[in-house]
Every structure is written in C-alpha cells, then in structure tokens.
Amino acid sequence: MNILSLKEATLHLHKKLILSKETVHIYEGEKIALVGRNGSGKSTLLKVLAQEIDVEDGMYIPKPGLSIAYLAQNPHSVPECSVKRFVENVLAESYLAFRAEELVFTLKLNPDQMLSQLSGGELRRAYIARTLLTPADLIILDEPTNHLDIIGIEWLETWIANSSQAFIIVAHDRKFLKNVTQRTLWLDRGTLRSAPVGFEGFEAWQETFLQEQIRIQSRLDVKLAQELRWLARGVTARRRRNEGRLSRLKALRTQKANFSKEPNKIGVPRQEGVGLTRQIMEGWDLGYQLPGGTVLFQGLNFRLLKGDRIGIIGPNGCGKSTLIRVLTKELEPSQGVLKTAATLNWSIFQQNQPIEELSYSVKRFLCAQGSDYVDVQGKQRHVVAYLKEFLFVPEQAQCMIRVLSGGERNRLRLAKLLAKSPDLLILDEPTNDLDIETLDFLKDFLLQYPGTIIIVSHDRDFLDDVVSSILVFESQGRVREFIGSFSDYLQAESEQHAFFKAPAKEVKAPAIKASSLISKRSTLLKKEKLSYHEVFLLENGLEEIQELVDKKNILEEALEVFQRETPLPLTASNRDHLATLSQALSLCLEQIQDKETLWLEVAEKAQRIDKNKEGTA
C-alpha cells in the first residue's frame, strides 16, 4: 500500500538544486536507505518528507491520516522535563509506559535525569527512544547510529527488522544499512533514483545502471555521458580499492603479529634503544580508576608500532575517551607504565568539535597565509586540487564555511588535520556525518598515511577496512589487544564476551499454513516412503504444536499482566522476572516454528507419495 508520494517535486536550498521535478513513492512497511554525497540535500529531502519544509513546485500526497515520526540530526529545542516524561509523552496508551522504561534502560539513560543535563550523545539517544516509540506509519531517521555504540547499533538493527512500520534512513554506517534496508533512494545533483535493492546490493546496481545510462546518453548528450562515465569510474574504482585495502591490511596484520612474537614480549620492559625506530608507544599493565573508586580499565598491555592502525572499541561509557587522554598524557594512569618515543608529535580529531571560523571561506580556512597553496605532508598542493580529494567541487573553495552541511564541515576539518602529517594521528569518531564516498576516500587515505593511527569508532565496516589490530574493552574493566579486524574478533572471541553479542531477533508466531512453506524443497521429499518417525510426526505433530501454542498464549497473558500491574520503576527482581518470561516466550515461539516447518514438510511429502501411488495405479 502506498502511504506517501512526492510527484514532480522541485526544491532549491541556498540557490542549490535539491530536487528537479522528482517523483517517489513510499510503501507500507518498507525499509529504505537514502544515500548521496554530503551537501546533496539528503537531510533537506527528509524534512520535506516529514513536512517540515514545503517543495516549491509539485505535490506532496500522504495517505489519509498518515502519521510520521522524524529523528533530525539536531533537535530544534530541548524541553525542560525528565527523560522518562519526554519519552512517555508520545505513547498512545498509558500501560505502554513499561515499554518506554525498558527502552530507556536499553539505551543507558537515567529516566529521572533532566534533558538539559544530558550530554550531546545522551540527548541524541533520548530522541531515538522517543522517535521509535511514536505510533507512526513512517519513521524517518537522520544518522541514527551517531552516538550509539556497537551494541546499541545491533539492537537498533533488531528493532527495525522486527517493526511493521516503514523506515527511511540516512546513515554513514555501511554495515547497518546493509543489515536493515530493502530499497535504496539515490539523490544525486537534483535527481532522485530508486534502486529495487537494499544497500547490500546498491553499488553493483549503481554500476550497472550508470553503464547503461552511458550507452543511452552517448548518442544524445556527450557532456552528460562524460559525467556518467566519471561517476561510473568512481564506483568501479571504489570496489577495486576495497579489494586492494584487504591485501594491504593482511600485510599489516601479518607484520603486527610477527612483531608481537619477537623477544621482549609485552609485560617485559624493553632495553633502551631497542626497536625505537619501529616502536613509538608501549604500555604495561595500564589502568585508570575514577576518584570514586570505579575502575574504567586495568591490565592493559600493548605496543604501538610505526604504521600501525589501531581501533578502540567498547560500549558507551566504558572509558575509551579516558584511555585516549591517558595515551596523550593529559591524564596520569592510576597504575602501570606508559612509554612513548621522545620526539613523538600527534594531532587529534574529536567528534562534535565546532569550527570557530564560520565567516572564513573554505580556501582561507586551509590556507591561513592567504596563498593558493596548502602544505600537505611537506609538499605544496594547490588548494582546489587538494579539496577535490575530499570531494569538494572547485566552486566551494570560495564558499563561506557557515553554508556547508555538517558532513562537509567534518570533511573540511579532516582535510586540514590530515595535511599536517603528525607521527601519531588520533581520530575520535571520524565517520559521523560523512557520506559513503567520503568514507571510502578516507579509508584509502588512512591506509596510505605514513604515520601511525588510533581510531575510536563504532562503525564496524570502517574498522574492518582500516585497522590492523584493535584494543577491545571487555567486561570488568579488562582491555586487551586483538590483532585483526572487528569481524575477526567477533568470529574468534564473541562467544566468550557478552559485550559484542548481537541480540537475538524476536520471532513472531506463524500461522499453521502450508502455503507459506510450499516453495521449500526438503530432502525428505526425495524419499519414496515415510519413515516410522515421520509417520509418528504426521499423526501426533499437530497435537504437540497445539500444546506449544497454548503455552505461548499463557506466557503472553502473563507478560501482559506483568506489564499492566508492575509499578515503575522496575526493581532488580522485576527485571529478572521480565527477562525470564521473555526468554521463555522466545524459546516457545522458536519451537512452534521448528515443529510447524517439519510437520508441513512431512505432510507435503506424504501428499506427493499419495499422488505417485494414484498415478501408478
């Protein structure tokens, strides 16, 4: 069912074309990715869909009674109320307050804290909770993964996958988009194209589409065909660079692993002058304890070699930023020893750090002396050529910084920082608000960077493509080094460490209908006759399924009573009881689904055998 349409829509922003007579339809329950370069107008298009701004020309056609929930990048205002009240205000029924508290707890928020007292990341998570609980037909999310840790991102993936609502999502996290989307809208220079695939298959679709458009347009418009060829080359080159990155990372990880096996292993101080040309930092038994006695981390041993790319991962609030402050000697460790090379110089990119020079032009921001050249890693580069590498067009060199989008400002900050080429580059959440193409360029730039890099990030795809090893915050303040990518770590270690287990997806109780499984061809169907076990299953399976369905109904009723009658806030024992009920219900639903599937396969086999007998007779 079509729930929202834009027809022949046209829109400009700051004289820049955002939409040019574009038409798009949104359907019930769809999960849509919206992609495009920073500054292409993705956030503006989301505001149009959320009815925050109007198009200049064309039609906005919602279904009657359409309700929309919109998570903007930055809230317009912060009301003076508690987190609990803020989130519960959107609930249609008061008994759902239980669900609101559960969501606030999941997002690690204090329900009694005032919104005005929250940090930027906490406020963002409060708005996420409020948006997801809004009873809407369409939920619009602009960069929802910003300020969520890996656990939170995986939880959000599960929520979206199990929701019957339609979603339109702008995000820089490739893995997140791949896991949740079914269709992709591509906004490019005023044109909005719809790809009938989720982000998982978008780049392959995009490359095929551009090649076909080149063939068509080469006869009609030479200039347009040239632009399409440039775009297609970029997509193809991006895929080839992905393959090249993998081979370079394998070499880096092998080098790191071999060095770790050398004598003077971690925990034993090296002799003066040994390995200093390769080793720039080393820590033994590092730990940090807050004044109140809370241990953020302890027992950390690591080596940082020249050329290393190390990622730091862990849940929000575990102490990643504190570790960075210890490594840069802003804080003294509570225990252990940190040793750095005598001449080490470093620079840091911090998330949400504003640009003070908003009245400057882009060129002046990079070229403080007023020339046309910028010093990039010791070499003079023309500012326009350097900006092109960060996907700015030449005209933007004269633009005022204040008219740039949030992602473009982040790109500009990165361009200035990366030009300095320090020995150690520290990047704290560098991927926030960057578009997919800029992220791809940044990955390549970092792998070719001559210095050493430490990256704090929750972007799993980015970490997999950039880092040679990771420092992982695990339970009870333990931090350890793992040589390899985040995916390698998950495959090798996640069963032992609960922090990075993806939450199990909810299983909905299916109806007992053979039609939903008729296309499944089981190996059982290839047999000529039913086994004794299959005959028993066919005769008794429906009774077993009905018993499980009765059990499910009892559990659902118990859960509903608990939600309705349990006072808020929940006590520890109430939370344990809730977890027990939820786990029992989830297990029961899985058992129903498994037994239904098996019974239907056997029933289909029996039907086929009967038909074969009739045909033979």
Side-chain angles (χ1 to χ4, degrees), residues 365-544:
F365 180 74
L366 290 179
C367 308
Q369 306 302 321
S371 69
D372 292 333
Y373 292 86
V374 58
D375 190 337
V376 179
Q377 300 178 14
K379 297 180 180 179
Q380 292 293 305
R381 297 281 308 279
H382 194 278
V383 64
V384 172
Y386 185 57
L387 283 169
K388 280 183 178 180
E389 292 186 358
F390 288 84
L391 304 181
F392 288 97
V393 297
E395 295 78 18
Q396 287 181 295
Q398 303 301 331
C399 283
M400 296 297 106
I401 293 175
R402 64 172 174 267
V403 305
L404 299 180
S405 69
E408 287 172 322
R409 293 183 191 183
N410 269 356
R411 262 195 272 157
L412 186 59
R413 288 175 55 216
L414 279 169
K416 186 168 186 175
L417 180 66
L418 295 175
K420 296 179 181 178
S421 190
D423 299 327
L424 174 61
L425 181 63
I426 300 171
L427 304 174
D428 185 6
E429 290 292 350
T431 66
N432 284 356
D433 299 323
L434 295 183
D435 59 57
I436 301 292
E437 292 180 349
T438 305
L439 279 178
D440 197 76
F441 164 74
L442 181 59
K443 291 176 184 178
D444 226 37
F445 191 99
L446 293 179
L447 279 178
Q448 297 175 20
Y449 190 77
T452 304
I453 302 169
I454 295 177
I455 303 169
V456 179
S457 180
H458 300 303
D459 189 323
R460 297 155 293 178
D461 184 84
F462 185 77
L463 290 172
D464 281 351
D465 281 358
V466 172
V467 302
S468 54
S469 62
I470 53 177
L471 294 178
V472 189
F473 278 74
E474 295 174 345
S475 56
Q476 299 177 344
R478 184 187 178 205
V479 184
R480 68 187 182 94
E481 184 178 19
F482 180 88
I483 297 172
S485 69
F486 176 68
S487 293
D488 295 334
Y489 169 79
L490 276 185
Q491 185 174 359
E493 305 291 341
S494 65
E495 290 304 314
Q496 302 175 31
H497 305 292
F499 272 174
F500 297 110
K501 280 186 181 178
K505 293 186 178 181
E506 297 175 16
V507 183
K508 297 180 180 178
I512 305 177
K513 291 182 180 179
S515 59
S516 63
L517 296 166
I518 200 72
S519 62
K520 293 188 176 181
R521 307 303 299 171
S522 170
T523 54
L524 292 172
L525 297 175
K526 298 177 182 178
K527 297 183 179 180
E528 292 298 325
K529 63 180 181 179
L530 296 178
S531 67
Y532 173 80
H533 174 72
E534 290 169 339
V535 172
F536 181 85
L537 178 64
L538 195 61
E539 293 175 349
N540 301 281
L542 287 179
E543 292 182 7
E544 294 180 2

Side-chain angles (χ1 to χ4, degrees), residues 95-137:
Y95 73 86
L96 291 175
F98 171 85
R99 198 178 188 197
E101 176 168 315
E102 183 183 17
L103 189 52
V104 167
F105 177 77
T106 300
L107 292 174
K108 300 176 183 177
L109 294 168
N110 180 352
D112 299 321
Q113 194 169 5
M114 302 299 288
L115 290 183
S116 57
Q117 299 172 342
L118 300 181
S119 67
E122 290 170 333
L123 185 63
R124 179 74 171 171
R125 296 201 297 275
Y127 271 89
I128 289 175
R130 179 184 170 95
T131 304
L132 293 178
L133 287 174
T134 302
D137 303 301

Side-chain angles (χ1 to χ4, degrees), residues 611-617:
K611 287 183 178 179
N612 288 338
K613 287 181 179 179
E614 291 173 3
T616 304

Side-chain angles (χ1 to χ4, degrees), residues 287-297 322 332-335:
Y288 190 84
Q289 182 175 336
L290 295 174
T294 302
V295 175
L296 291 182
F297 58 89
T322 301
E332 286 291 328
S334 303
Q335 66 179 56

Side-chain angles (χ1 to χ4, degrees), residues 60-76:
Y60 179 97
I61 310 174
K63 77 166 189 177
L66 177 70
S67 57
I68 298 175
Y70 172 45
L71 175 71
Q73 282 197 45
N74 300 299
H76 298 303

